[in-house]
Amino acid sequence: MKNVSLKIEGMTCASCALNIEKALAKVEGIKTSTVNFATESGTFEVSDNLNAEVIISSIEKQGYSAFEGEGPSDNTSSAELVRPIVSMLLALVVFYLAMGPGKNQFTKQVNWYLQLVLITPVFFWIGHRFQKAIWIFLRTGISTMNTLVGFGTAAAYYYSLFITVAPEKAVKLGMNMHVYYEAVGFIISFVFLGKFFEEKAKKKARKELDNLLRVSTKSAWVKRGDEFQEVPLEDVVKGDVIRVRPGEKIPVDGKILEGESEIDESMLSGEPLPVLKGKDAQVFAGTINGYSVITFKAQKVGSDTMLAGIIKFVETAQQNKAPIQLLADKISSYFVPVVLVIAVLTFFGWYFFGPEPLWGNALSSMIAVLVIACPCALGLATPTAVVVATGVASKRGLLIGGGEIIEKGDGVNTIIFDKTGTLTFGKPFVKHVNLFSEKSNERDFLQEVSSIESFSEHPLSRAILEYAKEKGVKPGFPESFEVVSGKGIKAKLNGLEYFIGSSRFLNENNIVCSYETDQSGSQVFVAREGELLGLIIVDDKVKEQARPTINKLKEDFVTPWLISGDNTKTVSAVAQELGIPEYVGNCLPIDKASYVERLKSEGKKVAMIGDGINDAPALAKADLSIAMGTGTDVAMDASDVVIIDGDISKVDDFIRLSRKTMSIIKQNLFLSFVYNTLLIPVAAGAFYPLFNWTFPPVLASVAMGLSSISVVTNSLRINGFFNGTRRS
Amino acid sequence: MSGIVFKVEGMKCGGCKSKIEGALKNMDSGIETLVNLEDKTVKVTFEDLSPLEIKKTIEEAGFNVTGMNAE
Ligand SMILES: [Mg+2]
């Protein structure tokens, strides 16, 4: 058995992925297949003699494309550009022949044939997907923007084709002798141009989850016989005794047998301070061992570890994410059937009540309805607004991955915040210094403490040093110093003996240390020559922008939640400080995701904001996910929006920008439909009985121009969105 | 001349030993280093350098300094 990984393109939703899996299950030699829609990839367990080509051709039989390695997605941007450029160039030549100076250069017949030759590749090659959309509509009744474009262009193309190749017959039938080739060209070009804009806006496409896998180690020191050997991670089994040296990652989940060490579990809890763990304590794969050696017994290995659980969760959550139906498609799904009914009514109206020639008039009018109904600017309505909005956003330090994300942002009414690193800096700061001795002042005290702490790499020491530096204190050097792992530091400075650390550490060294405080944070006690000198409280700090942001969100009718891996006491303090009524503490990564799930099941549109690996499952589950650019890559990969500098106030900026952009998109859709819709009655011949008007085909071009200009101009209005707002 | 004994975690063999010696020599050729793998100590004799710089150098070479003692 071997594993084959492929890139798969052309999937439009999670059920495509299922279809491929189902189809491949029937292929001999393929044992299992896992296809991921979100990452556009698949992994297949196949027998050794099976060639990757077999899998690829089986996938291609299903109508998708597959590649080994990175596939052609590297050059998509230039390939994406080829189609709109070719199609636009051809359309312009056709326009020149149809309405420009080229109009009278050839005989009408030659002119039409030239147009036909130029526009046929645009229609069949570049516009292939629109004809496919017609078939999908006929088979399933599902209509999208593509269906509308498909009907309009197909009607225009085939009608013009008929007139071109069989003009005598057309004249005999009494058809309106006008070709619509340039309309076919421009409509298809515009849609592709819009598509290109949209792709360009998706600068940061969905990345793979490799970053999560990188969190784990490749090997472990396992006891084999009497000594420890380095073995590949795959060979570690339950019950193995494993040794982890200082600074190394813990390879699998288990229980400590020997040793005591501070372990960095930020991956699971999001908290920056390491946790002291001793005999019988649980350790987890991917977390980082601190200063001393520990030996532990493997309890969960491979896909059973907590880390593997998180990876799997994020993967499946992304897979099952239903794509939202874009507004343009939603409108089209109503518009298409209505237009078809009007077209048919037009045909019969002319056939039964119109003047001779019955067939010619009925057919010409029906085609006119279909052609005019196709809103040329429809393809531009969303992408132009999205491009301008993402441009404005990136100038403000917000990375947005595309149009759907703006639609999702517009609907959000509940935002779940992670605490540490998101609402707070996620970095310990000195909050309070308390001196117990009359003999000392704060400056001398800091001088002594920072001299000793400068030799320690512990996050608490770093915080104290930074504070001393702010106060202008220059640390000196101790004569001796010793780290007592997880407890504190023992040092000698100017001939005096110091103990700095937890109250337990001081008590163990026969220094009476009992001090009660209701302040949250870590307590660092300082004793000199057996006498308690002072206490330093170190705590995470709430970002200045957090409170105003929460208030603004509430004004914008978004309910904030606070869900954290930190203890409930701290979480409740921060929630109260910020005015967040709903909060939960002590949450494991998967717990966070289940809260997202619960709120979604209550019908809320949930956005999740976080910075850590521990937020990744919740980010993947949420309707909209926002990551802090100051956080981990894993969180950013699992997210739709990245706030580059971690400025929390930009959350509200994003929500307001997406609301604004959505209203512009709605106006654009209205603008792209209105000219064409108004002309439908004219095309259908509603004014014929009164004024003897039939449809002048030039009106199609006028409507096309007006709607496109209106849409683009309207989208550009987003440019000024942040003007006049205060930059923080 | 001052001498400091550092407690260093993570030294296993002669390779680690020469790595630390090399790194410290790089700082200042006048430096004298005595590595004791058994006791997990590194004794450094030096002039015109701060103990903190020496500690940083040992750490940058990939080891953890957990203690120090001036002689
Ligand atoms: Mg966090």
Side-chain angles (χ1 to χ4, degrees):
Chain A
M1 282 290 158
K2 63 175 181 182
N3 279 320
V4 176
S5 294
L6 296 174
K7 289 243 125 202
I8 300 170
E9 290 188 348
M11 292 187 283
T12 50
C13 64
S15 60
C16 293
L18 278 179
N19 286 341
I20 296 177
E21 286 180 6
K22 255 189 245 156
L24 291 192
K26 293 182 197 130
V27 179
E28 207 171 314
I30 301 181
K31 198 179 153 225
T32 60
S33 43
T34 321
V35 178
N36 189 326
F37 161 63
T39 60
E40 298 200 303
S41 63
T43 314
F44 309 92
E45 204 183 327
V46 298
S47 52
D48 290 323
N49 52 8
L50 190 96
N51 203 318
E53 301 299 318
V54 177
I55 312 173
I56 292 176
S57 71
S58 313
I59 293 174
E60 280 169 354
K61 249 183 241 157
Q62 300 302 310
Y64 309 95
S65 38
F67 317 91
E68 280 186 274
E70 284 305 302
S73 33
D74 300 310
N75 47 22
T76 36
S77 60
S78 52
E80 287 291 334
L81 195 52
V82 168
R83 290 170 185 226
I85 286 180
V86 170
S87 130
M88 190 55 96
L89 284 176
L90 292 174
L92 283 172
V93 178
V94 168
F95 182 73
Y96 173 85
L97 290 170
M99 302 190 178
K103 201 174 170 184
N104 303 317
Q105 274 178 11
F106 308 97
T107 67
K108 209 168 203 176
Q109 199 64 26
V110 173
N111 186 313
W112 284 354
Y113 266 108
L114 277 174
Q115 292 190 36
L116 171 65
V117 168
L118 290 166
I119 224 66
T120 297
V122 176
F123 181 71
F124 281 108
W125 171 54
I126 297 169
H128 172 70
R129 67 175 67 165
F130 305 116
Q131 278 112 66
K132 217 162 99 185
I134 298 180
W135 286 118
I136 292 173
F137 173 73
L138 294 177
R139 274 209 324 262
T140 63
I142 297 167
S143 54
T144 64
M145 194 186 88
N146 284 355
T147 322
L148 200 46
V149 173
F151 272 114
T153 52
Y157 180 81
Y158 288 112
Y159 184 83
S160 309
L161 178 70
F162 184 73
I163 288 179
T164 309
V165 298
E168 296 87 8
K169 215 169 214 170
V171 170
K172 217 190 282 167
L173 278 169
M175 285 159 73
N176 190 338
M177 296 303 279
H178 182 83
V179 293
Y180 295 104
Y181 292 120
E182 89 286 344
V184 175
F186 280 123
I187 293 170
I188 291 176
S189 303
F190 280 171
V191 173
F192 268 94
L193 202 65
K195 206 82 206 139
F196 172 72
F197 282 151
E198 179 120 36
E199 289 300 319
K200 220 179 120 191
K202 283 189 191 172
K203 253 190 229 146
K204 200 198 84 144
R206 296 181 185 113
K207 277 198 210 141
E208 287 172 65
L209 297 164
D210 288 350
N211 277 320
L212 256 183
L213 296 163
R214 232 176 283 142
V215 171
S216 56
T217 47
K218 300 264 177 291
S219 61
W221 285 86
V222 180
K223 195 167 186 178
R224 294 278 189 252
D226 275 343
E227 55 184 76
F228 284 90
Q229 287 175 356
E230 190 165 10
V231 304
L233 196 59
E234 303 87 76
D235 295 349
V236 177
V237 295
K238 234 162 109 175
D240 271 346
V241 174
I242 298 168
R243 186 155 74 185
V244 186
R245 289 176 306 203
E248 284 181 349
K249 271 181 189 156
I250 290 167
V252 297
D253 291 4
K255 202 160 101 177
I256 296 185
L257 296 171
E258 221 182 298
E260 194 181 50
S261 187
E262 286 193 301
I263 293 168
D264 173 0
E265 292 199 326
S266 59
M267 178 204 103
L268 295 176
S269 64
E271 296 307 309
L273 286 181
V275 191
L276 182 63
K277 296 209 161 180
K279 192 167 163 32
D280 291 337
Q282 219 52 53
V283 290
F284 301 97
T287 58
I288 302 161
N289 185 22
Y291 272 126
S292 33
V293 177
I294 55 168
T295 310
F296 75 98
K297 191 172 180 178
Q299 288 176 320
K300 283 175 179 169
V301 300
S303 60
D304 294 332
T305 65
M306 180 103 82
L307 176 65
I310 294 176
I311 295 173
K312 195 151 170 249
F313 191 95
V314 173
E315 259 173 3
T316 37
Q318 289 199 334
Q319 261 174 45
N320 298 335
K321 235 179 193 181
I324 63 164
Q325 197 193 4
L326 297 170
L327 196 56
D329 286 342
K330 227 180 262 175
I331 294 175
S332 301
S333 70
Y334 295 105
F335 195 72
V336 171
V338 171
V339 167
L340 289 180
V341 168
I342 293 176
V344 170
L345 288 179
T346 303
F347 182 87
F348 286 113
W350 280 91
Y351 190 76
F352 289 118
F353 306 111
E356 288 287 343
L358 295 180
W359 266 100
N361 281 333
L363 201 60
S364 303
S365 307
M366 183 181 82
I367 298 295
V369 166
L370 288 175
V371 172
I372 194 71
C374 175
C376 328
L378 182 61
L380 294 174
T382 308
T384 50
V386 168
V387 169
V388 180
T390 46
V392 166
S394 71
K395 268 189 219 137
R396 202 161 176 85
L398 280 163
L399 288 185
I400 302 174
E404 317 90 85
I405 290 162
I406 285 174
E407 290 209 34
K408 289 195 277 182
D410 174 57
V412 162
N413 55 20
T414 305
I415 295 192
I416 300 179
F417 287 93
D418 160 55
K419 181 180 74 70
T420 314
T422 302
L423 287 174
T424 70
F425 284 97
K427 213 182 122 190
F429 291 93
V430 170
K431 190 161 83 174
H432 188 70
V433 175
N434 198 353
L435 297 177
F436 297 136
S437 166
E438 300 289 306
K439 286 176 260 172
S440 194
N441 64 45
E442 186 176 307
R443 210 187 155 78
D444 291 345
F445 175 73
L446 283 175
Q447 165 71 40
E448 293 159 63
V449 175
S450 63
S451 299
I452 295 165
E453 295 284 14
S454 67
F455 277 77
S456 163
E457 300 297 325
H458 196 280
L460 290 175
S461 308
R462 299 285 111 191
I464 293 171
L465 265 178
E466 201 166 297
Y467 180 75
K469 216 158 119 194
E470 268 170 40
K471 298 274 163 183
V473 172
K474 283 223 161 54
F477 304 110
E479 289 99 66
S480 81
F481 112 110
E482 189 184 346
V483 174
V484 182
S485 181
K487 293 175 182 170
I489 301 168
K490 179 185 168 189
K492 202 171 245 176
L493 179 74
N494 306 325
L496 304 173
E497 192 180 47
Y498 286 80
F499 286 93
I500 302 178
S502 64
S503 58
R504 185 178 136 208
F505 177 56
L506 270 65
N507 284 326
E508 277 170 10
N509 287 285
N510 302 318
I511 299 156
V512 181
C513 178
S514 58
Y515 183 79
E516 293 288 323
T517 175
D518 52 357
Q519 274 189 325
S520 64
S522 313
Q523 306 177 346
V524 180
F525 288 93
V526 180
R528 182 176 67 196
E529 294 288 294
E531 181 200 4
L532 202 56
L533 262 193
L535 162 68
I536 301 170
I537 294 180
V538 180
D539 203 358
D540 198 2
K541 213 156 63 180
V542 170
K543 295 178 182 171
E544 299 85 28
Q545 288 300 324
R547 204 188 156 103
T549 304
I550 299 287
N551 288 340
K552 268 199 265 171
L553 286 171
K554 284 183 186 162
E555 280 167 30
D556 293 338
F557 304 103
V558 177
T559 315
W561 277 69
L562 176 57
I563 298 184
S564 172
D566 205 354
N567 66 68
T568 309
K569 192 181 148 198
T570 317
V571 175
S572 111
V574 171
Q576 255 152 39
E577 186 182 341
L578 295 175
I580 302 176
E582 313 276 5
Y583 61 87
V584 193
N586 285 326
C587 277
L588 286 172
I590 307 289
D591 298 340
K592 286 196 174 197
S594 17
Y595 273 101
V596 171
E597 189 91 312
R598 216 186 74 192
L599 289 169
K600 273 170 79 173
S601 72
E602 290 168 11
K604 306 213 162 70
K605 288 274 170 256
V606 182
M608 168 78 205
I609 307 176
D611 70 317
I613 296 173
N614 64 319
D615 299 315
L619 288 167
K621 262 268 146 53
D623 292 312
L624 174 85
S625 46
I626 305 176
M628 293 287 151
T630 46
T632 57
D633 292 350
V634 175
M636 282 186 260
D637 282 2
S639 292
D640 300 321
V641 180
V642 176
I643 299 177
I644 295 171
D645 62 358
D647 176 356
I648 194 76
S649 69
K650 286 170 189 166
V651 173
D652 186 60
D653 289 348
F654 171 71
I655 298 289
R656 285 187 305 121
L657 177 65
S658 32
R659 288 182 182 177
K660 172 77 184 173
T661 307
M662 266 323 275
S663 76
I664 293 273
I665 289 175
K666 283 174 191 162
Q667 290 162 14
N668 281 352
L669 289 170
F670 175 77
L671 288 171
S672 61
F673 275 99
V674 65
Y675 300 100
N676 303 63
T677 311
L678 286 179
L679 287 171
I680 288 179
V682 183
F687 297 118
Y688 183 79
L690 284 176
F691 310 112
N692 230 359
W693 281 4
T694 51
F695 177 64
V698 71
L699 279 184
S701 309
V702 172
M704 187 150 67
L706 279 178
S707 55
S708 306
I709 293 168
S710 313
V711 161
V712 172
T713 317
N714 195 40
S715 291
L716 287 172
R717 293 199 303 135
I718 302 172
N719 255 328
F721 184 67
F722 287 121
N723 292 354
T725 18
R726 190 176 51 87
R727 271 222 73 154
S728 44
Chain B
M1 279 303 226
S2 47
I4 290 186
V5 179
F6 290 94
K7 280 192 82 172
V8 179
E9 284 284 347
M11 300 187 297
K12 289 183 290 280
C13 58
C16 300
K17 184 181 159 181
S18 46
K19 202 170 166 191
I20 289 182
E21 285 168 349
L24 291 173
K25 264 274 177 301
N26 258 343
M27 285 179 80
D28 179 2
S29 54
I31 224 163
E32 263 174 54
T33 311
L34 199 70
V35 177
N36 187 332
L37 291 177
E38 200 112 299
D39 300 346
K40 299 182 182 170
T41 59
V42 177
K43 187 181 168 183
V44 188
T45 317
F46 58 93
E47 260 175 307
D48 302 332
L49 283 170
S50 88
L52 196 56
E53 283 177 77
I54 293 171
K55 173 180 174 275
K56 289 255 152 73
T57 306
I58 297 174
E59 280 170 345
E60 272 158 23
F63 306 91
N64 283 322
V65 177
T66 60
M68 94 170 189
N69 207 343
E71 296 221 310

